[in-house]
Amino acid sequence: MIAPQQLDSLDAQQMRQALLSLMAQVAAKDELLDRRQREVAFKQAQVDKLTHELAILKRLKFAATSEKFCAGMSAEQRSLLEETLDADIAQACAEIERSNGEKAGDRKDKQVPKREPLPAHLPRRDVNHEPESTVCACGCQMKRIGQDVSEKLDYEPGVFTVDRHVRGKWACAHCQKLVQAPVAAHIIDKGIPTAGLLAQVLVAKFLDHLPLYRQEHIFKRAGLAIARSTLASWVGECGAQLQPLVDALSAELLRHDVLHADETPVAMLKPGNKKTHKAYMWTYCTTSFNPTKAVVFNFAETRSGENVREFLGQDGEHPWKGKLVTDGFAGYKATFERGVTEVGCAAHARRKFHELWANHGSKVGEQALRYFQLLFTIEAEIVDCTPDERRRIRQRKSRRVAAALNKWLIRQRLQVPDGSATTKAIDYSLKRWAALTRYIGDGDLPISNNWVENQIRPIAIGRSNWLFAGSLRAGQRAAAVMSLVHSARINGHDPYAYLRDILERLPSHPATRIDELLPHRWQPATAAI
């Protein structure tokens, strides 16, 4: 930095350098200002979008109370719709507050209903919070002059308890200084539920497939009626708070070179026409050979391959270009044209021949199944081998069986008429032969897509209990929570214990260390200490 009094002593070269330096500083500040203006504009656009969505949701909630809007719906269907809308509204509000940099409860225009005190008959458990030191800076011992008490509702299966957080007030008689332990951070600021109660609600809804109206009855039997709208609000706010962790899980998944992908239909209600249509829950996960166990669900309104390309970031600066194990669905074709390597599923190819044999007693189907049985038997024998050992054994054994199957399929294809069920089964395998046998040359690749289908199976069990997703947001929230609880499950964790712990830690956990809370890296807070 050149002082003004030094300007007269500068020669032409020094003046030129000073001017260039000043121009560079101005350009850097202009660039910083432009970037901040773009960030502000982007954030404002997000807030405007969320505000618009919130207004639509509120109108839908009002409409859902009318008999005309809900005509033709059963009481259970109507309950599912109402709880979805309540959760969507709560999540949208939480995201608006976060985008504006507000804390929950800071908005002056927000109408908060008066909260009734927790019932006196529930057992209480005191949790004391005292300052680390009660010695004043002046050297005097402070005296306890009072306390603040806040109550949080906790739940263990069948039993409600109340945690009384007692924060003692300590004052110095000499200098009038007052100290008190800070209010502990909670996932729902100023809310009454503990992390344990929230974890119970989320696990029951998204893992045990219990809609909120059923949980409302269960809680009533346990001694406290919690309104369905309140439960929905908690679910929505938790969805917003957990999203950064789900984003980190997705980013972790895309660091791996081999992934499974599959999709399954779920019913979604279109509020405009009051009818359901097929939406899809897409599933991505690491292979069973990978020590990192992770699964991510992604909800979309269509079965378009664009959903896959978007998840894999193929239109971004760093598109994923690994090996993707799929069932041969045409929607993946564009993904493979953009540098992703296709890996076929031998289980799907085998299934075509099993249908021939089971439905028609086909001899072609029976013989094909024998070939596939040999291939899968080899895989069962090498499941615990290293990738190099798997590749060597596959090259020695599986390659010969696959070659024999290929020659047999070609011969059979010449003998069957076009358009028959047998032709379709044979063509399915022959057209995908390179993808179906790619695993033989790579010990990291699985023979089939069965691993990801096992992750989808719980969705088939529970989808009738969240039939009316009601909105894209509701489906995305279900996918987010399910990604965490199912990833915890396949890593051998108790999903309830995992969710309870991360809901306690998230409010004060550094964003730069959020990867520590991912299911495959998670350690309980007590164990981490």
Side-chain angles (χ1 to χ4, degrees), residues 426-438:
I426 294 174
D427 285 348
Y428 180 92
S429 293
L430 291 179
K431 289 178 180 179
R432 298 169 174 81
W433 193 254
L436 287 171
T437 56
R438 187 160 280 126

PDB file of all heavy atoms in Angstrom, residues 426-438:
ATOM      1  N   ILE A 426     -35.010 -64.773 -25.034  1.00  0.00           N
ATOM      2  CA  ILE A 426     -33.667 -64.955 -25.603  1.00  0.00           C
ATOM      3  C   ILE A 426     -33.082 -63.614 -26.049  1.00  0.00           C
ATOM      4  O   ILE A 426     -31.916 -63.299 -25.790  1.00  0.00           O
ATOM      5  CB  ILE A 426     -33.721 -65.948 -26.776  1.00  0.00           C
ATOM      6  CG1 ILE A 426     -34.092 -67.349 -26.270  1.00  0.00           C
ATOM      7  CG2 ILE A 426     -32.380 -65.996 -27.506  1.00  0.00           C
ATOM      8  CD1 ILE A 426     -34.305 -68.365 -27.379  1.00  0.00           C
ATOM      9  N   ASP A 427     -33.906 -62.799 -26.732  1.00  0.00           N
ATOM     10  CA  ASP A 427     -33.424 -61.506 -27.225  1.00  0.00           C
ATOM     11  C   ASP A 427     -33.008 -60.580 -26.081  1.00  0.00           C
ATOM     12  O   ASP A 427     -32.078 -59.779 -26.230  1.00  0.00           O
ATOM     13  CB  ASP A 427     -34.506 -60.831 -28.077  1.00  0.00           C
ATOM     14  CG  ASP A 427     -34.640 -61.482 -29.449  1.00  0.00           C
ATOM     15  OD1 ASP A 427     -33.752 -62.282 -29.803  1.00  0.00           O
ATOM     16  OD2 ASP A 427     -35.635 -61.187 -30.146  1.00  0.00           O
ATOM     17  N   TYR A 428     -33.731 -60.656 -24.964  1.00  0.00           N
ATOM     18  CA  TYR A 428     -33.362 -59.813 -23.811  1.00  0.00           C
ATOM     19  C   TYR A 428     -31.906 -60.064 -23.432  1.00  0.00           C
ATOM     20  O   TYR A 428     -31.146 -59.122 -23.173  1.00  0.00           O
ATOM     21  CB  TYR A 428     -34.281 -60.119 -22.624  1.00  0.00           C
ATOM     22  CG  TYR A 428     -33.960 -59.284 -21.390  1.00  0.00           C
ATOM     23  CD1 TYR A 428     -34.602 -58.074 -21.163  1.00  0.00           C
ATOM     24  CD2 TYR A 428     -33.002 -59.704 -20.458  1.00  0.00           C
ATOM     25  CE1 TYR A 428     -34.307 -57.293 -20.047  1.00  0.00           C
ATOM     26  CE2 TYR A 428     -32.693 -58.936 -19.348  1.00  0.00           C
ATOM     27  CZ  TYR A 428     -33.348 -57.734 -19.146  1.00  0.00           C
ATOM     28  OH  TYR A 428     -33.026 -56.973 -18.051  1.00  0.00           O
ATOM     29  N   SER A 429     -31.494 -61.316 -23.379  1.00  0.00           N
ATOM     30  CA  SER A 429     -30.127 -61.644 -22.984  1.00  0.00           C
ATOM     31  C   SER A 429     -29.123 -61.342 -24.089  1.00  0.00           C
ATOM     32  O   SER A 429     -28.071 -60.750 -23.839  1.00  0.00           O
ATOM     33  CB  SER A 429     -30.025 -63.125 -22.595  1.00  0.00           C
ATOM     34  OG  SER A 429     -30.755 -63.386 -21.417  1.00  0.00           O
ATOM     35  N   LEU A 430     -29.434 -61.722 -25.322  1.00  0.00           N
ATOM     36  CA  LEU A 430     -28.464 -61.541 -26.412  1.00  0.00           C
ATOM     37  C   LEU A 430     -28.192 -60.061 -26.695  1.00  0.00           C
ATOM     38  O   LEU A 430     -27.052 -59.681 -26.964  1.00  0.00           O
ATOM     39  CB  LEU A 430     -28.974 -62.246 -27.671  1.00  0.00           C
ATOM     40  CG  LEU A 430     -28.987 -63.778 -27.623  1.00  0.00           C
ATOM     41  CD1 LEU A 430     -29.531 -64.346 -28.929  1.00  0.00           C
ATOM     42  CD2 LEU A 430     -27.586 -64.325 -27.333  1.00  0.00           C
ATOM     43  N   LYS A 431     -29.242 -59.215 -26.623  1.00  0.00           N
ATOM     44  CA  LYS A 431     -29.054 -57.791 -26.890  1.00  0.00           C
ATOM     45  C   LYS A 431     -28.232 -57.099 -25.799  1.00  0.00           C
ATOM     46  O   LYS A 431     -27.632 -56.050 -26.044  1.00  0.00           O
ATOM     47  CB  LYS A 431     -30.413 -57.105 -27.022  1.00  0.00           C
ATOM     48  CG  LYS A 431     -31.162 -57.475 -28.295  1.00  0.00           C
ATOM     49  CD  LYS A 431     -32.522 -56.791 -28.337  1.00  0.00           C
ATOM     50  CE  LYS A 431     -33.278 -57.160 -29.613  1.00  0.00           C
ATOM     51  NZ  LYS A 431     -34.616 -56.529 -29.676  1.00  0.00           N
ATOM     52  N   ARG A 432     -28.204 -57.686 -24.623  1.00  0.00           N
ATOM     53  CA  ARG A 432     -27.483 -57.077 -23.497  1.00  0.00           C
ATOM     54  C   ARG A 432     -26.272 -57.930 -23.088  1.00  0.00           C
ATOM     55  O   ARG A 432     -25.792 -57.808 -21.962  1.00  0.00           O
ATOM     56  CB  ARG A 432     -28.431 -56.919 -22.298  1.00  0.00           C
ATOM     57  CG  ARG A 432     -29.611 -55.998 -22.559  1.00  0.00           C
ATOM     58  CD  ARG A 432     -30.656 -56.087 -21.461  1.00  0.00           C
ATOM     59  NE  ARG A 432     -31.722 -55.115 -21.633  1.00  0.00           N
ATOM     60  CZ  ARG A 432     -32.755 -55.286 -22.455  1.00  0.00           C
ATOM     61  NH1 ARG A 432     -32.861 -56.399 -23.159  1.00  0.00           N
ATOM     62  NH2 ARG A 432     -33.691 -54.333 -22.558  1.00  0.00           N
ATOM     63  N   TRP A 433     -25.799 -58.777 -23.987  1.00  0.00           N
ATOM     64  CA  TRP A 433     -24.797 -59.767 -23.592  1.00  0.00           C
ATOM     65  C   TRP A 433     -23.523 -59.128 -23.036  1.00  0.00           C
ATOM     66  O   TRP A 433     -22.980 -59.595 -22.031  1.00  0.00           O
ATOM     67  CB  TRP A 433     -24.460 -60.691 -24.764  1.00  0.00           C
ATOM     68  CG  TRP A 433     -23.680 -61.891 -24.315  1.00  0.00           C
ATOM     69  CD1 TRP A 433     -22.359 -62.140 -24.487  1.00  0.00           C
ATOM     70  CD2 TRP A 433     -24.208 -62.975 -23.546  1.00  0.00           C
ATOM     71  NE1 TRP A 433     -22.017 -63.324 -23.890  1.00  0.00           N
ATOM     72  CE2 TRP A 433     -23.138 -63.862 -23.299  1.00  0.00           C
ATOM     73  CE3 TRP A 433     -25.467 -63.294 -23.044  1.00  0.00           C
ATOM     74  CZ2 TRP A 433     -23.284 -65.041 -22.585  1.00  0.00           C
ATOM     75  CZ3 TRP A 433     -25.619 -64.459 -22.336  1.00  0.00           C
ATOM     76  CH2 TRP A 433     -24.541 -65.321 -22.106  1.00  0.00           C
ATOM     77  N   ALA A 434     -23.041 -58.085 -23.670  1.00  0.00           N
ATOM     78  CA  ALA A 434     -21.804 -57.443 -23.190  1.00  0.00           C
ATOM     79  C   ALA A 434     -21.992 -56.913 -21.776  1.00  0.00           C
ATOM     80  O   ALA A 434     -21.114 -57.069 -20.914  1.00  0.00           O
ATOM     81  CB  ALA A 434     -21.405 -56.313 -24.138  1.00  0.00           C
ATOM     82  N   ALA A 435     -23.156 -56.283 -21.508  1.00  0.00           N
ATOM     83  CA  ALA A 435     -23.423 -55.749 -20.175  1.00  0.00           C
ATOM     84  C   ALA A 435     -23.630 -56.870 -19.159  1.00  0.00           C
ATOM     85  O   ALA A 435     -23.178 -56.781 -18.007  1.00  0.00           O
ATOM     86  CB  ALA A 435     -24.649 -54.839 -20.202  1.00  0.00           C
ATOM     87  N   LEU A 436     -24.294 -57.956 -19.582  1.00  0.00           N
ATOM     88  CA  LEU A 436     -24.582 -59.064 -18.666  1.00  0.00           C
ATOM     89  C   LEU A 436     -23.317 -59.801 -18.232  1.00  0.00           C
ATOM     90  O   LEU A 436     -23.265 -60.365 -17.130  1.00  0.00           O
ATOM     91  CB  LEU A 436     -25.549 -60.052 -19.321  1.00  0.00           C
ATOM     92  CG  LEU A 436     -27.018 -59.605 -19.450  1.00  0.00           C
ATOM     93  CD1 LEU A 436     -27.793 -60.591 -20.298  1.00  0.00           C
ATOM     94  CD2 LEU A 436     -27.661 -59.460 -18.072  1.00  0.00           C
ATOM     95  N   THR A 437     -22.309 -59.832 -19.087  1.00  0.00           N
ATOM     96  CA  THR A 437     -21.077 -60.586 -18.779  1.00  0.00           C
ATOM     97  C   THR A 437     -19.919 -59.681 -18.385  1.00  0.00           C
ATOM     98  O   THR A 437     -18.801 -60.160 -18.192  1.00  0.00           O
ATOM     99  CB  THR A 437     -20.665 -61.434 -19.994  1.00  0.00           C
ATOM    100  OG1 THR A 437     -20.508 -60.585 -21.145  1.00  0.00           O
ATOM    101  CG2 THR A 437     -21.721 -62.485 -20.289  1.00  0.00           C
ATOM    102  N   ARG A 438     -20.162 -58.393 -18.258  1.00  0.00           N
ATOM    103  CA  ARG A 438     -19.085 -57.460 -17.899  1.00  0.00           C
ATOM    104  C   ARG A 438     -18.501 -57.773 -16.522  1.00  0.00           C
ATOM    105  O   ARG A 438     -17.321 -57.522 -16.255  1.00  0.00           O
ATOM    106  CB  ARG A 438     -19.614 -56.032 -17.966  1.00  0.00           C
ATOM    107  CG  ARG A 438     -18.544 -54.955 -17.768  1.00  0.00           C
ATOM    108  CD  ARG A 438     -18.995 -53.617 -18.322  1.00  0.00           C
ATOM    109  NE  ARG A 438     -18.819 -53.574 -19.765  1.00  0.00           N
ATOM    110  CZ  ARG A 438     -19.777 -53.266 -20.637  1.00  0.00           C
ATOM    111  NH1 ARG A 438     -20.999 -52.981 -20.204  1.00  0.00           N
ATOM    112  NH2 ARG A 438     -19.519 -53.244 -21.924  1.00  0.00           N
TER     113      ARG A 438
END
